[in-house]
Amino acid sequence: MDTGLLILRLVVGLLLAGHGAQKLFGWFGGHGIEGTGGFFHGLGYRPGKRWAVVAGLSEFGGGALLALGLFTPLAAAAILGTMFNAVMSVHAKNGPWLTNNGWEYNLVLAASAVAVAFTGPGEVSLDYAFGWELAGTDWGIAALALGVGAGIVTDIYRRVANREAKLRSRDVQATA
């Protein structure tokens, strides 16, 4: 079981850390803060660059922590919150399938991270090495609640900021 958890943590964690590095540093074909910030601005995250940093740090940090098996419930919450927002702002309207730019990939990443929060990262992890018992139902529920809660709050902020920006734009056009 420990080997299986290690493989799962490394694959999901390192891929997410790579996604974060794309946003933060422009590595692996990413667009860095400038490009990602512009994209986020278009999605309604205002200011776009700030939210690009938040998303990049959540993916990079959450992915790295998951891969290391360190503060595993916090890693799962960061991943879940970020994937929740990716689904709500980009993928939900496209249905489930990745072939249609849907949300299946985001769901698999989020569910994998939360599952590790429930089961624990295994013996080949820093949580285990430090003697921390950060696993089980209570920790899994805490990760789930924190991730979904952060995701909802962020999505509401995005929707309100986007609505206000559209209203300001309409007012400017009306006075021009």
Side-chain angles (χ1 to χ4, degrees), residues 8-50:
L8 179 64
R9 286 190 0 252
L10 287 175
V11 170
V12 172
L14 293 177
L15 284 173
L16 275 161
H19 276 279
Q22 288 178 316
K23 289 174 178 63
L24 293 170
F25 314 118
W27 297 352
F28 312 119
H31 301 286
I33 296 298
E34 282 294 321
T36 305
F39 176 68
F40 275 38
H41 181 83
L43 294 173
Y45 293 96
R46 309 240 197 277
K49 284 185 193 177
R50 182 180 308 151

PDB file of all heavy atoms in Angstrom, residues 8-50:
ATOM      1  N   LEU A   8       1.128   7.360  -6.453  1.00  0.00           N
ATOM      2  CA  LEU A   8       0.018   8.298  -6.634  1.00  0.00           C
ATOM      3  C   LEU A   8       0.430   9.713  -6.248  1.00  0.00           C
ATOM      4  O   LEU A   8       0.197  10.668  -6.993  1.00  0.00           O
ATOM      5  CB  LEU A   8      -1.190   7.854  -5.804  1.00  0.00           C
ATOM      6  CG  LEU A   8      -2.424   8.745  -5.857  1.00  0.00           C
ATOM      7  CD1 LEU A   8      -3.000   8.775  -7.269  1.00  0.00           C
ATOM      8  CD2 LEU A   8      -3.465   8.256  -4.871  1.00  0.00           C
ATOM      9  N   ARG A   9       1.070   9.851  -5.086  1.00  0.00           N
ATOM     10  CA  ARG A   9       1.493  11.180  -4.623  1.00  0.00           C
ATOM     11  C   ARG A   9       2.496  11.800  -5.573  1.00  0.00           C
ATOM     12  O   ARG A   9       2.412  13.002  -5.875  1.00  0.00           O
ATOM     13  CB  ARG A   9       2.116  11.084  -3.220  1.00  0.00           C
ATOM     14  CG  ARG A   9       1.139  10.873  -2.110  1.00  0.00           C
ATOM     15  CD  ARG A   9       1.766  11.020  -0.722  1.00  0.00           C
ATOM     16  NE  ARG A   9       3.168  11.321  -0.708  1.00  0.00           N
ATOM     17  CZ  ARG A   9       4.149  10.468  -0.360  1.00  0.00           C
ATOM     18  NH1 ARG A   9       3.852   9.232   0.004  1.00  0.00           N
ATOM     19  NH2 ARG A   9       5.402  10.855  -0.360  1.00  0.00           N
ATOM     20  N   LEU A  10       3.464  11.030  -6.040  1.00  0.00           N
ATOM     21  CA  LEU A  10       4.486  11.583  -6.923  1.00  0.00           C
ATOM     22  C   LEU A  10       3.904  12.014  -8.269  1.00  0.00           C
ATOM     23  O   LEU A  10       4.199  13.105  -8.758  1.00  0.00           O
ATOM     24  CB  LEU A  10       5.623  10.575  -7.139  1.00  0.00           C
ATOM     25  CG  LEU A  10       6.550  10.363  -5.952  1.00  0.00           C
ATOM     26  CD1 LEU A  10       7.544   9.247  -6.255  1.00  0.00           C
ATOM     27  CD2 LEU A  10       7.272  11.644  -5.580  1.00  0.00           C
ATOM     28  N   VAL A  11       3.067  11.169  -8.860  1.00  0.00           N
ATOM     29  CA  VAL A  11       2.502  11.502 -10.174  1.00  0.00           C
ATOM     30  C   VAL A  11       1.601  12.724 -10.078  1.00  0.00           C
ATOM     31  O   VAL A  11       1.788  13.714 -10.796  1.00  0.00           O
ATOM     32  CB  VAL A  11       1.749  10.299 -10.784  1.00  0.00           C
ATOM     33  CG1 VAL A  11       0.957  10.714 -12.021  1.00  0.00           C
ATOM     34  CG2 VAL A  11       2.729   9.184 -11.139  1.00  0.00           C
ATOM     35  N   VAL A  12       0.620  12.694  -9.183  1.00  0.00           N
ATOM     36  CA  VAL A  12      -0.316  13.809  -9.062  1.00  0.00           C
ATOM     37  C   VAL A  12       0.402  15.059  -8.557  1.00  0.00           C
ATOM     38  O   VAL A  12       0.239  16.159  -9.097  1.00  0.00           O
ATOM     39  CB  VAL A  12      -1.511  13.432  -8.151  1.00  0.00           C
ATOM     40  CG1 VAL A  12      -2.385  14.647  -7.868  1.00  0.00           C
ATOM     41  CG2 VAL A  12      -2.334  12.324  -8.795  1.00  0.00           C
ATOM     42  N   GLY A  13       1.214  14.901  -7.524  1.00  0.00           N
ATOM     43  CA  GLY A  13       1.891  16.044  -6.931  1.00  0.00           C
ATOM     44  C   GLY A  13       2.855  16.724  -7.882  1.00  0.00           C
ATOM     45  O   GLY A  13       2.861  17.957  -8.007  1.00  0.00           O
ATOM     46  N   LEU A  14       3.679  15.949  -8.571  1.00  0.00           N
ATOM     47  CA  LEU A  14       4.660  16.559  -9.473  1.00  0.00           C
ATOM     48  C   LEU A  14       4.005  17.173 -10.705  1.00  0.00           C
ATOM     49  O   LEU A  14       4.448  18.224 -11.187  1.00  0.00           O
ATOM     50  CB  LEU A  14       5.739  15.550  -9.858  1.00  0.00           C
ATOM     51  CG  LEU A  14       6.643  15.113  -8.697  1.00  0.00           C
ATOM     52  CD1 LEU A  14       7.631  14.043  -9.155  1.00  0.00           C
ATOM     53  CD2 LEU A  14       7.365  16.296  -8.072  1.00  0.00           C
ATOM     54  N   LEU A  15       2.943  16.542 -11.213  1.00  0.00           N
ATOM     55  CA  LEU A  15       2.230  17.161 -12.343  1.00  0.00           C
ATOM     56  C   LEU A  15       1.618  18.494 -11.921  1.00  0.00           C
ATOM     57  O   LEU A  15       1.680  19.477 -12.668  1.00  0.00           O
ATOM     58  CB  LEU A  15       1.157  16.229 -12.893  1.00  0.00           C
ATOM     59  CG  LEU A  15       1.672  15.080 -13.748  1.00  0.00           C
ATOM     60  CD1 LEU A  15       0.543  14.112 -14.096  1.00  0.00           C
ATOM     61  CD2 LEU A  15       2.344  15.595 -15.017  1.00  0.00           C
ATOM     62  N   LEU A  16       1.027  18.546 -10.738  1.00  0.00           N
ATOM     63  CA  LEU A  16       0.448  19.809 -10.270  1.00  0.00           C
ATOM     64  C   LEU A  16       1.519  20.846  -9.995  1.00  0.00           C
ATOM     65  O   LEU A  16       1.329  22.033 -10.299  1.00  0.00           O
ATOM     66  CB  LEU A  16      -0.405  19.572  -9.029  1.00  0.00           C
ATOM     67  CG  LEU A  16      -1.825  19.146  -9.389  1.00  0.00           C
ATOM     68  CD1 LEU A  16      -2.512  18.492  -8.225  1.00  0.00           C
ATOM     69  CD2 LEU A  16      -2.613  20.330  -9.882  1.00  0.00           C
ATOM     70  N   ALA A  17       2.636  20.436  -9.427  1.00  0.00           N
ATOM     71  CA  ALA A  17       3.739  21.375  -9.220  1.00  0.00           C
ATOM     72  C   ALA A  17       4.203  21.926 -10.569  1.00  0.00           C
ATOM     73  O   ALA A  17       4.500  23.119 -10.695  1.00  0.00           O
ATOM     74  CB  ALA A  17       4.891  20.693  -8.479  1.00  0.00           C
ATOM     75  N   GLY A  18       4.219  21.086 -11.592  1.00  0.00           N
ATOM     76  CA  GLY A  18       4.566  21.547 -12.940  1.00  0.00           C
ATOM     77  C   GLY A  18       3.573  22.561 -13.482  1.00  0.00           C
ATOM     78  O   GLY A  18       3.963  23.561 -14.087  1.00  0.00           O
ATOM     79  N   HIS A  19       2.294  22.324 -13.249  1.00  0.00           N
ATOM     80  CA  HIS A  19       1.273  23.300 -13.670  1.00  0.00           C
ATOM     81  C   HIS A  19       1.484  24.636 -12.960  1.00  0.00           C
ATOM     82  O   HIS A  19       1.345  25.702 -13.567  1.00  0.00           O
ATOM     83  CB  HIS A  19      -0.141  22.788 -13.367  1.00  0.00           C
ATOM     84  CG  HIS A  19      -0.689  21.891 -14.409  1.00  0.00           C
ATOM     85  ND1 HIS A  19      -1.251  22.343 -15.566  1.00  0.00           N
ATOM     86  CD2 HIS A  19      -0.769  20.541 -14.456  1.00  0.00           C
ATOM     87  CE1 HIS A  19      -1.654  21.319 -16.290  1.00  0.00           C
ATOM     88  NE2 HIS A  19      -1.370  20.213 -15.643  1.00  0.00           N
ATOM     89  N   GLY A  20       1.795  24.568 -11.682  1.00  0.00           N
ATOM     90  CA  GLY A  20       2.071  25.795 -10.935  1.00  0.00           C
ATOM     91  C   GLY A  20       3.300  26.508 -11.460  1.00  0.00           C
ATOM     92  O   GLY A  20       3.322  27.741 -11.566  1.00  0.00           O
ATOM     93  N   ALA A  21       4.341  25.751 -11.819  1.00  0.00           N
ATOM     94  CA  ALA A  21       5.565  26.341 -12.374  1.00  0.00           C
ATOM     95  C   ALA A  21       5.291  27.011 -13.720  1.00  0.00           C
ATOM     96  O   ALA A  21       5.902  28.029 -14.047  1.00  0.00           O
ATOM     97  CB  ALA A  21       6.649  25.279 -12.517  1.00  0.00           C
ATOM     98  N   GLN A  22       4.354  26.464 -14.496  1.00  0.00           N
ATOM     99  CA  GLN A  22       3.964  27.117 -15.743  1.00  0.00           C
ATOM    100  C   GLN A  22       3.405  28.504 -15.459  1.00  0.00           C
ATOM    101  O   GLN A  22       3.746  29.469 -16.150  1.00  0.00           O
ATOM    102  CB  GLN A  22       2.906  26.288 -16.476  1.00  0.00           C
ATOM    103  CG  GLN A  22       3.426  25.019 -17.096  1.00  0.00           C
ATOM    104  CD  GLN A  22       2.310  24.219 -17.757  1.00  0.00           C
ATOM    105  OE1 GLN A  22       1.217  24.062 -17.200  1.00  0.00           O
ATOM    106  NE2 GLN A  22       2.579  23.727 -18.942  1.00  0.00           N
ATOM    107  N   LYS A  23       2.540  28.586 -14.459  1.00  0.00           N
ATOM    108  CA  LYS A  23       1.913  29.863 -14.124  1.00  0.00           C
ATOM    109  C   LYS A  23       2.906  30.841 -13.497  1.00  0.00           C
ATOM    110  O   LYS A  23       2.917  32.017 -13.830  1.00  0.00           O
ATOM    111  CB  LYS A  23       0.744  29.630 -13.155  1.00  0.00           C
ATOM    112  CG  LYS A  23      -0.454  28.962 -13.785  1.00  0.00           C
ATOM    113  CD  LYS A  23      -1.498  28.628 -12.733  1.00  0.00           C
ATOM    114  CE  LYS A  23      -2.727  27.991 -13.339  1.00  0.00           C
ATOM    115  NZ  LYS A  23      -2.456  26.701 -13.979  1.00  0.00           N
ATOM    116  N   LEU A  24       3.716  30.353 -12.585  1.00  0.00           N
ATOM    117  CA  LEU A  24       4.614  31.233 -11.830  1.00  0.00           C
ATOM    118  C   LEU A  24       5.858  31.648 -12.614  1.00  0.00           C
ATOM    119  O   LEU A  24       6.273  32.808 -12.556  1.00  0.00           O
ATOM    120  CB  LEU A  24       5.058  30.537 -10.534  1.00  0.00           C
ATOM    121  CG  LEU A  24       3.974  30.285  -9.491  1.00  0.00           C
ATOM    122  CD1 LEU A  24       4.507  29.391  -8.384  1.00  0.00           C
ATOM    123  CD2 LEU A  24       3.448  31.596  -8.935  1.00  0.00           C
ATOM    124  N   PHE A  25       6.467  30.694 -13.307  1.00  0.00           N
ATOM    125  CA  PHE A  25       7.789  30.926 -13.893  1.00  0.00           C
ATOM    126  C   PHE A  25       7.826  30.815 -15.417  1.00  0.00           C
ATOM    127  O   PHE A  25       8.859  31.079 -16.025  1.00  0.00           O
ATOM    128  CB  PHE A  25       8.801  29.931 -13.314  1.00  0.00           C
ATOM    129  CG  PHE A  25       8.722  29.792 -11.819  1.00  0.00           C
ATOM    130  CD1 PHE A  25       8.399  28.573 -11.238  1.00  0.00           C
ATOM    131  CD2 PHE A  25       8.957  30.880 -10.987  1.00  0.00           C
ATOM    132  CE1 PHE A  25       8.325  28.435  -9.859  1.00  0.00           C
ATOM    133  CE2 PHE A  25       8.884  30.752  -9.606  1.00  0.00           C
ATOM    134  CZ  PHE A  25       8.561  29.528  -9.048  1.00  0.00           C
ATOM    135  N   GLY A  26       6.723  30.396 -16.033  1.00  0.00           N
ATOM    136  CA  GLY A  26       6.716  30.204 -17.477  1.00  0.00           C
ATOM    137  C   GLY A  26       7.446  28.940 -17.906  1.00  0.00           C
ATOM    138  O   GLY A  26       7.751  28.766 -19.085  1.00  0.00           O
ATOM    139  N   TRP A  27       7.726  28.038 -16.980  1.00  0.00           N
ATOM    140  CA  TRP A  27       8.423  26.792 -17.314  1.00  0.00           C
ATOM    141  C   TRP A  27       7.479  25.822 -18.017  1.00  0.00           C
ATOM    142  O   TRP A  27       6.261  25.959 -17.963  1.00  0.00           O
ATOM    143  CB  TRP A  27       8.952  26.121 -16.054  1.00  0.00           C
ATOM    144  CG  TRP A  27       9.986  26.894 -15.293  1.00  0.00           C
ATOM    145  CD1 TRP A  27      10.619  28.050 -15.673  1.00  0.00           C
ATOM    146  CD2 TRP A  27      10.496  26.586 -14.005  1.00  0.00           C
ATOM    147  NE1 TRP A  27      11.495  28.463 -14.707  1.00  0.00           N
ATOM    148  CE2 TRP A  27      11.440  27.577 -13.664  1.00  0.00           C
ATOM    149  CE3 TRP A  27      10.246  25.564 -13.096  1.00  0.00           C
ATOM    150  CZ2 TRP A  27      12.137  27.562 -12.461  1.00  0.00           C
ATOM    151  CZ3 TRP A  27      10.939  25.561 -11.900  1.00  0.00           C
ATOM    152  CH2 TRP A  27      11.877  26.543 -11.599  1.00  0.00           C
ATOM    153  N   PHE A  28       8.045  24.848 -18.682  1.00  0.00           N
ATOM    154  CA  PHE A  28       7.308  23.735 -19.309  1.00  0.00           C
ATOM    155  C   PHE A  28       6.249  24.238 -20.288  1.00  0.00           C
ATOM    156  O   PHE A  28       5.156  23.696 -20.374  1.00  0.00           O
ATOM    157  CB  PHE A  28       6.645  22.840 -18.249  1.00  0.00           C
ATOM    158  CG  PHE A  28       7.548  22.437 -17.122  1.00  0.00           C
ATOM    159  CD1 PHE A  28       7.240  22.796 -15.816  1.00  0.00           C
ATOM    160  CD2 PHE A  28       8.710  21.721 -17.357  1.00  0.00           C
ATOM    161  CE1 PHE A  28       8.063  22.429 -14.762  1.00  0.00           C
ATOM    162  CE2 PHE A  28       9.545  21.351 -16.307  1.00  0.00           C
ATOM    163  CZ  PHE A  28       9.224  21.705 -15.011  1.00  0.00           C
ATOM    164  N   GLY A  29       6.571  25.297 -21.013  1.00  0.00           N
ATOM    165  CA  GLY A  29       5.637  25.829 -22.003  1.00  0.00           C
ATOM    166  C   GLY A  29       4.572  26.743 -21.432  1.00  0.00           C
ATOM    167  O   GLY A  29       3.628  27.107 -22.132  1.00  0.00           O
ATOM    168  N   GLY A  30       4.709  27.132 -20.169  1.00  0.00           N
ATOM    169  CA  GLY A  30       3.722  28.010 -19.547  1.00  0.00           C
ATOM    170  C   GLY A  30       3.906  29.457 -19.964  1.00  0.00           C
ATOM    171  O   GLY A  30       4.851  29.812 -20.666  1.00  0.00           O
ATOM    172  N   HIS A  31       3.001  30.293 -19.498  1.00  0.00           N
ATOM    173  CA  HIS A  31       2.998  31.704 -19.887  1.00  0.00           C
ATOM    174  C   HIS A  31       3.462  32.636 -18.771  1.00  0.00           C
ATOM    175  O   HIS A  31       3.453  33.852 -18.954  1.00  0.00           O
ATOM    176  CB  HIS A  31       1.600  32.108 -20.358  1.00  0.00           C
ATOM    177  CG  HIS A  31       1.135  31.304 -21.521  1.00  0.00           C
ATOM    178  ND1 HIS A  31       1.626  31.493 -22.798  1.00  0.00           N
ATOM    179  CD2 HIS A  31       0.266  30.275 -21.609  1.00  0.00           C
ATOM    180  CE1 HIS A  31       1.062  30.623 -23.614  1.00  0.00           C
ATOM    181  NE2 HIS A  31       0.224  29.870 -22.921  1.00  0.00           N
ATOM    182  N   GLY A  32       3.857  32.089 -17.633  1.00  0.00           N
ATOM    183  CA  GLY A  32       4.323  32.925 -16.533  1.00  0.00           C
ATOM    184  C   GLY A  32       3.206  33.781 -15.971  1.00  0.00           C
ATOM    185  O   GLY A  32       2.042  33.669 -16.344  1.00  0.00           O
ATOM    186  N   ILE A  33       3.599  34.656 -15.048  1.00  0.00           N
ATOM    187  CA  ILE A  33       2.621  35.508 -14.360  1.00  0.00           C
ATOM    188  C   ILE A  33       1.930  36.458 -15.336  1.00  0.00           C
ATOM    189  O   ILE A  33       0.718  36.666 -15.261  1.00  0.00           O
ATOM    190  CB  ILE A  33       3.298  36.303 -13.221  1.00  0.00           C
ATOM    191  CG1 ILE A  33       3.832  35.351 -12.155  1.00  0.00           C
ATOM    192  CG2 ILE A  33       2.335  37.314 -12.612  1.00  0.00           C
ATOM    193  CD1 ILE A  33       2.776  34.525 -11.473  1.00  0.00           C
ATOM    194  N   GLU A  34       2.688  37.057 -16.262  1.00  0.00           N
ATOM    195  CA  GLU A  34       2.085  38.017 -17.207  1.00  0.00           C
ATOM    196  C   GLU A  34       0.978  37.364 -18.028  1.00  0.00           C
ATOM    197  O   GLU A  34      -0.157  37.855 -18.050  1.00  0.00           O
ATOM    198  CB  GLU A  34       3.152  38.587 -18.144  1.00  0.00           C
ATOM    199  CG  GLU A  34       4.019  39.650 -17.551  1.00  0.00           C
ATOM    200  CD  GLU A  34       3.260  40.924 -17.210  1.00  0.00           C
ATOM    201  OE1 GLU A  34       2.371  41.352 -17.974  1.00  0.00           O
ATOM    202  OE2 GLU A  34       3.573  41.487 -16.146  1.00  0.00           O
ATOM    203  N   GLY A  35       1.312  36.283 -18.711  1.00  0.00           N
ATOM    204  CA  GLY A  35       0.332  35.628 -19.577  1.00  0.00           C
ATOM    205  C   GLY A  35      -0.821  35.021 -18.807  1.00  0.00           C
ATOM    206  O   GLY A  35      -1.986  35.157 -19.188  1.00  0.00           O
ATOM    207  N   THR A  36      -0.490  34.344 -17.716  1.00  0.00           N
ATOM    208  CA  THR A  36      -1.537  33.731 -16.901  1.00  0.00           C
ATOM    209  C   THR A  36      -2.407  34.804 -16.258  1.00  0.00           C
ATOM    210  O   THR A  36      -3.627  34.650 -16.167  1.00  0.00           O
ATOM    211  CB  THR A  36      -0.922  32.816 -15.825  1.00  0.00           C
ATOM    212  OG1 THR A  36      -0.063  31.854 -16.458  1.00  0.00           O
ATOM    213  CG2 THR A  36      -1.986  32.093 -15.034  1.00  0.00           C
ATOM    214  N   GLY A  37      -1.778  35.907 -15.840  1.00  0.00           N
ATOM    215  CA  GLY A  37      -2.547  37.013 -15.256  1.00  0.00           C
ATOM    216  C   GLY A  37      -3.547  37.586 -16.246  1.00  0.00           C
ATOM    217  O   GLY A  37      -4.689  37.881 -15.881  1.00  0.00           O
ATOM    218  N   GLY A  38      -3.147  37.742 -17.504  1.00  0.00           N
ATOM    219  CA  GLY A  38      -4.065  38.223 -18.525  1.00  0.00           C
ATOM    220  C   GLY A  38      -5.218  37.256 -18.750  1.00  0.00           C
ATOM    221  O   GLY A  38      -6.378  37.667 -18.890  1.00  0.00           O
ATOM    222  N   PHE A  39      -4.908  35.965 -18.778  1.00  0.00           N
ATOM    223  CA  PHE A  39      -5.941  34.948 -18.935  1.00  0.00           C
ATOM    224  C   PHE A  39      -6.903  34.983 -17.752  1.00  0.00           C
ATOM    225  O   PHE A  39      -8.128  34.964 -17.936  1.00  0.00           O
ATOM    226  CB  PHE A  39      -5.286  33.569 -19.072  1.00  0.00           C
ATOM    227  CG  PHE A  39      -6.255  32.427 -19.141  1.00  0.00           C
ATOM    228  CD1 PHE A  39      -7.084  32.268 -20.238  1.00  0.00           C
ATOM    229  CD2 PHE A  39      -6.332  31.509 -18.110  1.00  0.00           C
ATOM    230  CE1 PHE A  39      -7.985  31.210 -20.304  1.00  0.00           C
ATOM    231  CE2 PHE A  39      -7.216  30.449 -18.157  1.00  0.00           C
ATOM    232  CZ  PHE A  39      -8.050  30.298 -19.259  1.00  0.00           C
ATOM    233  N   PHE A  40      -6.369  35.063 -16.530  1.00  0.00           N
ATOM    234  CA  PHE A  40      -7.213  35.117 -15.343  1.00  0.00           C
ATOM    235  C   PHE A  40      -8.083  36.374 -15.330  1.00  0.00           C
ATOM    236  O   PHE A  40      -9.236  36.326 -14.921  1.00  0.00           O
ATOM    237  CB  PHE A  40      -6.354  35.043 -14.075  1.00  0.00           C
ATOM    238  CG  PHE A  40      -6.015  33.642 -13.653  1.00  0.00           C
ATOM    239  CD1 PHE A  40      -5.721  32.651 -14.581  1.00  0.00           C
ATOM    240  CD2 PHE A  40      -5.981  33.307 -12.321  1.00  0.00           C
ATOM    241  CE1 PHE A  40      -5.411  31.368 -14.192  1.00  0.00           C
ATOM    242  CE2 PHE A  40      -5.674  32.025 -11.910  1.00  0.00           C
ATOM    243  CZ  PHE A  40      -5.390  31.050 -12.847  1.00  0.00           C
ATOM    244  N   HIS A  41      -7.514  37.483 -15.760  1.00  0.00           N
ATOM    245  CA  HIS A  41      -8.295  38.722 -15.848  1.00  0.00           C
ATOM    246  C   HIS A  41      -9.507  38.503 -16.754  1.00  0.00           C
ATOM    247  O   HIS A  41     -10.621  38.924 -16.432  1.00  0.00           O
ATOM    248  CB  HIS A  41      -7.425  39.865 -16.366  1.00  0.00           C
ATOM    249  CG  HIS A  41      -8.138  41.170 -16.452  1.00  0.00           C
ATOM    250  ND1 HIS A  41      -8.278  42.004 -15.355  1.00  0.00           N
ATOM    251  CD2 HIS A  41      -8.764  41.781 -17.487  1.00  0.00           C
ATOM    252  CE1 HIS A  41      -8.971  43.074 -15.729  1.00  0.00           C
ATOM    253  NE2 HIS A  41      -9.279  42.964 -17.010  1.00  0.00           N
ATOM    254  N   GLY A  42      -9.291  37.841 -17.886  1.00  0.00           N
ATOM    255  CA  GLY A  42     -10.381  37.555 -18.816  1.00  0.00           C
ATOM    256  C   GLY A  42     -11.444  36.639 -18.227  1.00  0.00           C
ATOM    257  O   GLY A  42     -12.600  36.667 -18.645  1.00  0.00           O
ATOM    258  N   LEU A  43     -11.048  35.819 -17.253  1.00  0.00           N
ATOM    259  CA  LEU A  43     -12.012  34.938 -16.587  1.00  0.00           C
ATOM    260  C   LEU A  43     -12.775  35.643 -15.469  1.00  0.00           C
ATOM    261  O   LEU A  43     -13.705  35.079 -14.903  1.00  0.00           O
ATOM    262  CB  LEU A  43     -11.288  33.721 -15.995  1.00  0.00           C
ATOM    263  CG  LEU A  43     -10.645  32.752 -16.977  1.00  0.00           C
ATOM    264  CD1 LEU A  43      -9.829  31.706 -16.226  1.00  0.00           C
ATOM    265  CD2 LEU A  43     -11.698  32.103 -17.862  1.00  0.00           C
ATOM    266  N   GLY A  44     -12.332  36.867 -15.131  1.00  0.00           N
ATOM    267  CA  GLY A  44     -13.016  37.626 -14.097  1.00  0.00           C
ATOM    268  C   GLY A  44     -12.255  37.713 -12.790  1.00  0.00           C
ATOM    269  O   GLY A  44     -12.726  38.337 -11.845  1.00  0.00           O
ATOM    270  N   TYR A  45     -11.090  37.094 -12.712  1.00  0.00           N
ATOM    271  CA  TYR A  45     -10.270  37.214 -11.502  1.00  0.00           C
ATOM    272  C   TYR A  45      -9.560  38.557 -11.572  1.00  0.00           C
ATOM    273  O   TYR A  45      -8.752  38.789 -12.458  1.00  0.00           O
ATOM    274  CB  TYR A  45      -9.240  36.079 -11.420  1.00  0.00           C
ATOM    275  CG  TYR A  45      -9.849  34.718 -11.221  1.00  0.00           C
ATOM    276  CD1 TYR A  45     -10.080  33.880 -12.304  1.00  0.00           C
ATOM    277  CD2 TYR A  45     -10.182  34.269  -9.954  1.00  0.00           C
ATOM    278  CE1 TYR A  45     -10.630  32.621 -12.120  1.00  0.00           C
ATOM    279  CE2 TYR A  45     -10.732  33.016  -9.766  1.00  0.00           C
ATOM    280  CZ  TYR A  45     -10.951  32.192 -10.859  1.00  0.00           C
ATOM    281  OH  TYR A  45     -11.494  30.957 -10.676  1.00  0.00           O
ATOM    282  N   ARG A  46      -9.884  39.447 -10.642  1.00  0.00           N
ATOM    283  CA  ARG A  46      -9.311  40.782 -10.667  1.00  0.00           C
ATOM    284  C   ARG A  46      -8.615  41.088  -9.352  1.00  0.00           C
ATOM    285  O   ARG A  46      -9.230  40.901  -8.312  1.00  0.00           O
ATOM    286  CB  ARG A  46     -10.416  41.818 -10.907  1.00  0.00           C
ATOM    287  CG  ARG A  46     -11.297  41.471 -12.111  1.00  0.00           C
ATOM    288  CD  ARG A  46     -11.255  42.543 -13.155  1.00  0.00           C
ATOM    289  NE  ARG A  46     -12.341  42.475 -14.112  1.00  0.00           N
ATOM    290  CZ  ARG A  46     -12.349  41.685 -15.177  1.00  0.00           C
ATOM    291  NH1 ARG A  46     -11.376  40.905 -15.432  1.00  0.00           N
ATOM    292  NH2 ARG A  46     -13.358  41.723 -16.022  1.00  0.00           N
ATOM    293  N   PRO A  47      -7.384  41.519  -9.343  1.00  0.00           N
ATOM    294  CA  PRO A  47      -6.501  41.667 -10.498  1.00  0.00           C
ATOM    295  C   PRO A  47      -5.940  40.301 -10.942  1.00  0.00           C
ATOM    296  O   PRO A  47      -5.608  39.455 -10.106  1.00  0.00           O
ATOM    297  CB  PRO A  47      -5.387  42.575  -9.992  1.00  0.00           C
ATOM    298  CG  PRO A  47      -5.365  42.404  -8.517  1.00  0.00           C
ATOM    299  CD  PRO A  47      -6.774  42.034  -8.110  1.00  0.00           C
ATOM    300  N   GLY A  48      -5.851  40.146 -12.239  1.00  0.00           N
ATOM    301  CA  GLY A  48      -5.475  38.861 -12.823  1.00  0.00           C
ATOM    302  C   GLY A  48      -4.120  38.338 -12.377  1.00  0.00           C
ATOM    303  O   GLY A  48      -3.972  37.150 -12.096  1.00  0.00           O
ATOM    304  N   LYS A  49      -3.131  39.220 -12.296  1.00  0.00           N
ATOM    305  CA  LYS A  49      -1.785  38.768 -11.909  1.00  0.00           C
ATOM    306  C   LYS A  49      -1.771  38.225 -10.478  1.00  0.00           C
ATOM    307  O   LYS A  49      -1.120  37.222 -10.200  1.00  0.00           O
ATOM    308  CB  LYS A  49      -0.775  39.911 -12.037  1.00  0.00           C
ATOM    309  CG  LYS A  49      -0.373  40.225 -13.452  1.00  0.00           C
ATOM    310  CD  LYS A  49       0.723  41.286 -13.437  1.00  0.00           C
ATOM    311  CE  LYS A  49       0.941  41.854 -14.805  1.00  0.00           C
ATOM    312  NZ  LYS A  49       1.953  42.932 -14.774  1.00  0.00           N
ATOM    313  N   ARG A  50      -2.457  38.907  -9.582  1.00  0.00           N
ATOM    314  CA  ARG A  50      -2.492  38.453  -8.191  1.00  0.00           C
ATOM    315  C   ARG A  50      -3.107  37.061  -8.098  1.00  0.00           C
ATOM    316  O   ARG A  50      -2.610  36.188  -7.404  1.00  0.00           O
ATOM    317  CB  ARG A  50      -3.247  39.429  -7.318  1.00  0.00           C
ATOM    318  CG  ARG A  50      -3.247  38.999  -5.849  1.00  0.00           C
ATOM    319  CD  ARG A  50      -3.993  39.947  -4.936  1.00  0.00           C
ATOM    320  NE  ARG A  50      -3.523  41.309  -5.113  1.00  0.00           N
ATOM    321  CZ  ARG A  50      -4.289  42.375  -4.903  1.00  0.00           C
ATOM    322  NH1 ARG A  50      -5.543  42.236  -4.532  1.00  0.00           N
ATOM    323  NH2 ARG A  50      -3.812  43.581  -5.062  1.00  0.00           N
TER     324      ARG A  50
END
